[in-house]
Amino acid sequence: MGEKVVAGRFDLSDRQRYREKLRDCLAGLERLLVEKRFDSPKNLMGVEIELNLAGADGMPRMLNGQVLERIASRDFQTELAMFNLEVNIAPHRIGGRVFDRLDEELRTSLAYADRKAGEVAAGIVMIGILPTLERDDLVSANLSEVDRYTLLNDQIVAARGEDFVLDIEGVEHLRCTSKSIVPEAACTSVQLHLQVTPARFADVWNAAQAASAVQIAVGANSPFLFGHELWRESRPPLFLQATDTRPPELQAQGVRPRIWFGERWISSAYELFEENLRFFPPLLPICDEEDPLAVLDAGGVPKLAELVLHNGTVYRWNRPVYGIADGVPHLRVENRVLPAGPTITDVIANAAFYYGLVRALAEESRPVWTRLPFAAAEANFDAACRHGIDARMVWPRRGRYGGGTTEVDAVTLVRDELLPLAATGLDAWGVESADRDFYLGVIEERCRRRVNGASWQAATFHRAVERGLPRDEALAAMTRRYAELMNQGEPVHTWPVGLLEPVPTG
C-alpha cells in the first residue's frame, strides 16, 4: 500500500467520510486528466521483488525484522509475514543497456542482503512459493510487526466473517482452512512498473492483460504449497482464496473478488479507478486532511491519498497506479503477474520480454484486444497458471487475412510470434541489441527445452522421491538445491535436474 498506517478501530462515520473522500479523489483525478496535468513521456520502468528468508536446512526463518535492521537500507522493506522481505530498485529509463544495469544492481543488492541475513543464520531465497512452508508457519503470530498488516488482516477477516478456505486442485488436491490472511504471504512476486501517459494507458494496460498468460507460461515458479503439488503457478488461486472477503453466498451472487483479472478491455485509466470505488468496499477507511478539490482549485497537485490507499487494497494482476514525482502527477501500470526467481538473470529476462512485448502489442495497427475476447484472455491466464510451460491457449490467427482465434501451445506462440514482437518492442524502446538478444534468448531457450522454475522444481522433487526420500525431506532437499543453483546464477533452463546430496539409506 505504500502508506504508514496506524492500527485502530473504525466507526460508521469513518466509512461514510472515507467514501465521500474517495468520490472527491475520483473527481480530482478526472480533473487532472481533463486538464492534461500529467507528466510527459519519460519511458520509466521500476522493479520490486518479494523475497523469502530460509535457513541452511531450506526451512523458513521468521527473522525479517532482524535482517532489515542489519541491511539498514530504504531499498529493502517488510512484507506481510516475518519470513518475507521486499527489494525496490529505483526507476530506470528504458533504453541502452538498462537490463544489464538492472542485473548488476540486483546482484549487488541481493548479495549484500544475503550476507546480512547470514548473520542470523538465514539466507535469501527468490522463489514464487517457498516449498518448505508448513501450515503452522502461516499464522497471525507470524505477521510482520507493522501496524498496517495487522489492520489489513483484521479488516479482511471481519469482512469475510468466517475462516478462509484454501481449496486448490492441481496435480494433487489441497483443502484446508485459515483464520487469517497470512497464507497470502507465501506468494512472493516480481512487480514491473511502467510509467505511461494517460493517452497511452489503456493500450498498455490492455496489452499487459493479453500478455499476462504467456508471462506465466514461461515464468511459472510456484508448484508446491504445504507439501502438495498443485498448479504450476499456484500463487493466483492461493492469493485469491487466502484474502477472499466473500463468504460462499456472495461468491454465488457473482460479487467480484478483490484479487481480480478484470472483466473487460478498457479505454481509459479512469475506468479502473472508478470500478474500484463502485465494486469494492473500503477496507482501511483512513482519511487524509487534504481536500483534493481545494488543492486543485489553488493550482496544486493533490495526493489523492484515499484513492491511492483504496487502490492498494484491490489486487488486480495489472494495477493502475497514481503517483507524484517532483511535484508532477503520473500514471503507471503495475504488472503483478510474475513469481520471484529463479535467478536474477531469469527475472531480468522476464522483464525484458514483458516490456518489449507490451510496447509492441500496444502499438499494433490491429491490437490483439480487438481480436481476442476478454474471456479468452482470462481463460489463457488460468490455463497458464495450471499448466505453466505446457499450457495451451487461444490467440488471434496470424496473417494479413487471418480472422478469428486458434488454439496453440504457449511455447510455439512465444517462439514463433511473441518473441519477435518483443524484440521489435525493445528496439522501439532503444534497448541495445546485446541486451535484447541475450535476455530474450533466455526466454527462447526455456521454450525450446520446455523448462522453467516450476518444471525444474517438480522434476527434481520427483527424482528425489524416486530415490527414496520421504516427501517432506525431498521438498527440503529440492529447496536447498534450488537455493544453491539460484546463488550460482545461471538461468533455470541450464539447471541439471536432481540433487547432488547423497540420499540416506536405511
Side-chain angles (χ1 to χ4, degrees):
M1 294 176 291
E3 296 289 334
K4 297 294 183 185
V5 173
V6 178
R9 294 183 177 274
F10 303 119
D11 60 30
L12 301 181
S13 63
D14 290 327
R15 296 188 181 278
Q16 184 175 352
R17 173 63 178 148
Y18 189 81
R19 186 173 283 109
E20 292 169 356
K21 287 294 298 288
L22 277 175
R23 293 185 185 126
D24 288 346
C25 286
L26 189 64
L29 176 68
E30 185 174 30
R31 278 182 56 180
L32 287 166
L33 290 166
V34 169
E35 295 170 11
K36 302 186 185 303
R37 298 277 299 277
F38 283 85
D39 204 355
S40 57
K42 287 189 174 176
N43 296 349
L44 289 177
M45 58 174 281
V47 180
E48 304 172 45
I49 307 176
E50 295 165 348
L51 308 164
N52 294 275
L53 292 172
D57 57 359
M59 306 304 289
R61 291 290 185 269
M62 307 296 166
L63 296 168
N64 66 356
Q66 296 178 50
V67 173
L68 284 169
E69 186 177 344
R70 284 166 169 78
I71 293 173
S73 167
R74 295 180 65 183
D75 293 342
F76 286 84
Q77 300 173 0
T78 55
E79 257 299 329
L80 184 62
M82 290 182 180
F83 62 90
N84 297 142
L85 299 176
E86 181 178 273
V87 61
N88 297 281
I89 299 300
H92 285 64
R93 191 178 300 274
I94 308 179
R97 300 300 299 269
V98 63
F99 295 113
D100 264 359
R101 292 198 304 275
L102 278 172
D103 183 286
E104 183 178 352
E105 286 183 32
L106 278 171
R107 285 182 195 281
T108 301
S109 293
L110 294 187
Y112 174 72
D114 193 59
R115 287 197 303 274
K116 292 300 180 182
E119 295 176 5
V120 290
I124 301 294
V125 181
M126 190 166 53
I127 194 167
I129 296 175
L130 191 66
T132 52
L133 285 167
E134 299 177 355
R135 289 180 61 185
D136 288 346
D137 296 317
L138 296 173
V139 294
S140 54
N142 287 332
L143 275 171
S144 291
E145 295 178 355
V146 177
D147 281 343
R148 64 186 169 112
Y149 297 130
T150 301
L151 186 55
L152 184 64
N153 176 70
D154 292 347
Q155 294 300 304
I156 292 177
V157 168
R160 182 173 177 85
E162 59 190 77
D163 287 354
F164 298 89
V165 177
L166 306 183
D167 190 347
I168 305 172
E169 189 163 4
V171 178
E172 298 169 322
H173 188 185
L174 170 69
R175 182 177 172 85
C176 60
T177 61
S178 173
K179 296 187 178 302
S180 73
I181 68 169
V182 184
E184 184 269 315
C187 306
T188 42
S189 66
V190 172
Q191 288 131 39
L192 303 174
H193 291 254
L194 179 60
Q195 184 175 327
V196 293
T197 62
R200 297 293 294 155
F201 185 95
D203 288 349
V204 170
W205 187 86
N206 289 339
Q209 288 285 97
S212 61
V214 291
Q215 286 182 272
I216 287 285
V218 298
N221 196 29
S222 314
F224 294 101
L225 176 67
F226 299 156
H228 291 67
E229 185 178 355
L230 301 174
W231 295 9
R232 284 303 182 248
E233 187 51 50
S234 303
R235 286 167 42 257
L238 172 58
F239 198 168
L240 168 64
Q241 295 176 17
T243 57
D244 199 345
T245 55
R246 309 166 303 160
E249 295 81 3
L250 292 185
Q251 295 179 36
Q253 292 174 37
V255 173
R256 295 159 181 84
R258 299 184 87 97
I259 290 77
W260 201 30
F261 188 81
E263 60 191 18
R264 63 190 175 91
W265 306 115
I266 65 165
S267 57
S268 74
Y270 178 87
E271 295 173 27
L272 298 178
F273 289 101
E274 189 275 332
E275 276 185 350
N276 286 355
L277 270 64
R278 183 155 41 99
F279 293 151
F280 303 107
L283 289 177
L284 302 172
I286 300 168
C287 290
D288 190 83
E289 294 180 358
E290 177 189 77
D291 180 339
L293 300 180
V295 171
L296 276 169
D297 289 341
V301 175
K303 295 180 295 183
L304 306 184
E306 292 83 7
L307 188 76
V308 169
L309 181 59
H310 183 60
N311 188 58
T313 64
V314 180
Y315 302 95
R316 297 176 184 269
W317 294 110
N318 287 289
R319 182 156 66 184
V321 178
Y322 171 87
I324 302 172
D326 300 323
V328 182
H330 66 264
L331 293 172
R332 302 194 304 274
V333 174
E334 180 190 19
N335 178 259
R336 304 165 50 82
V337 166
L338 289 164
T343 67
I344 291 169
T345 298
D346 288 303
V347 168
I348 301 301
N350 290 339
F353 180 51
Y354 168 74
Y355 287 115
L357 182 58
V358 163
R359 171 83 184 244
L361 290 177
E363 294 182 350
E364 281 190 307
S365 57
R366 291 185 63 210
V368 62
W369 57 90
T370 66
R371 299 176 288 137
L372 182 71
F374 192 90
E378 185 175 16
N380 286 345
F381 182 75
D382 183 78
C385 292
R386 289 176 183 271
H387 305 296
I389 201 81
D390 296 319
R392 292 182 62 81
M393 49 193 62
V394 172
W395 199 257
R397 289 192 177 91
R398 297 173 65 187
R400 183 175 178 183
Y401 301 106
T405 58
T406 187
E407 188 177 69
V408 61
D409 281 341
V411 292
T412 301
L413 175 63
V414 171
R415 289 181 68 187
D416 293 353
E417 186 170 347
L418 301 186
L419 275 173
L421 274 177
T424 299
L426 292 178
D427 288 343
W429 287 120
V431 171
E432 287 194 17
S433 58
D435 261 23
R436 177 199 67 201
D437 294 344
F438 176 77
Y439 289 107
L440 294 186
V442 171
I443 304 297
E444 184 174 16
E445 280 299 299
R446 281 193 221 149
C447 291
R448 188 176 72 82
R449 304 186 194 197
R450 286 183 175 261
V451 170
N452 59 16
S455 68
W456 182 90
Q457 287 188 56
T460 297
F461 166 75
H462 288 293
R463 182 81 58 87
V465 170
E466 289 165 6
R467 291 175 59 190
L469 278 183
R471 287 177 64 99
D472 57 344
E473 293 181 27
L475 282 171
M478 181 271 287
T479 302
R480 293 193 295 270
R481 180 64 173 147
Y482 177 103
E484 178 186 359
L485 292 167
M486 179 200 77
N487 285 319
Q488 290 177 10
E490 294 300 317
V492 71
H493 67 261
T494 69
W495 291 8
V497 171
L499 307 175
L500 286 182
E501 304 171 5
V503 176
T505 59

